Amino acid sequence: MAHLETRESALDEQAGQIRSAMADLAARLGELDAEIENLRVTRKTLQTVPRPGPAAEQPPRPEMPDHPAYQQILTTPADTDRPMRARDICQALDLPILPKTTEGIRSQLKRLVARGILTDSEPGLFARPGT
């Protein structure tokens, strides 16, 4: 009888340990199932989000002409905060106010407008973009 009681106590203890281990495993299994479900929901959500298009690229900077005359012309409108006419730029550069000179400057200004370096808010008025 004593042997049976000892054996029964030992088996009860083993069964308790196994039940405890099963409870721990069941809790861990529940945690894993919850994490799996979260990943499924996340994947499903991400699949409904539209893919971003190509990043908006900065427009290329206008290419500056190499000739020094263009550099001189570009410093003149930078000195003022108002649009200038070709005649005003000729005066600022101490050039003679002759039709030939004024038309040459106007032609260069129009080239700078075509390259996007200057703007012409009104016909004959030239300024840096944003002024």
Side-chain angles (χ1 to χ4, degrees):
M1 267 319 199
H3 176 67
L4 289 175
E5 286 180 19
T6 305
R7 179 77 177 135
E8 184 181 358
S9 290
L11 291 176
D12 269 345
E13 188 177 324
Q14 282 182 352
Q17 289 174 352
I18 291 175
R19 283 187 190 97
S20 176
M22 286 175 52
D24 290 343
L25 289 173
R28 181 69 181 131
L29 181 61
E31 291 170 5
L32 292 174
D33 284 340
E35 191 171 339
I36 289 169
E37 185 59 28
N38 287 340
L39 290 173
R40 285 184 184 142
V41 168
T42 301
R43 183 181 59 241
K44 199 173 196 179
T45 302
L46 289 175
Q47 287 173 342
T48 62
V49 174
R51 291 183 183 254
E57 294 181 17
Q58 294 282 342
R61 294 192 73 182
E63 196 172 309
M64 291 290 248
D66 290 334
H67 197 277
Y70 287 100
Q71 302 301 324
Q72 289 177 328
I73 290 171
L74 288 174
T75 59
T76 305
D79 295 340
T80 66
D81 58 348
R82 62 176 176 78
M84 296 181 75
R85 297 194 178 279
R87 180 183 174 98
D88 299 332
I89 293 175
C90 286
Q91 286 177 337
L93 295 175
D94 291 326
L95 297 174
I97 309 298
L98 300 172
K100 173 180 146 182
T101 310
T102 306
E103 287 306 313
I105 293 292
R106 183 175 288 112
S107 172
Q108 291 173 328
L109 290 167
K110 287 186 177 190
R111 280 190 210 118
L112 292 172
V113 168
R115 290 184 177 203
I117 298 169
L118 293 179
T119 61
D120 53 347
S121 54
E122 293 179 22
L125 284 176
F126 301 92
R128 292 268 185 183
T131 51

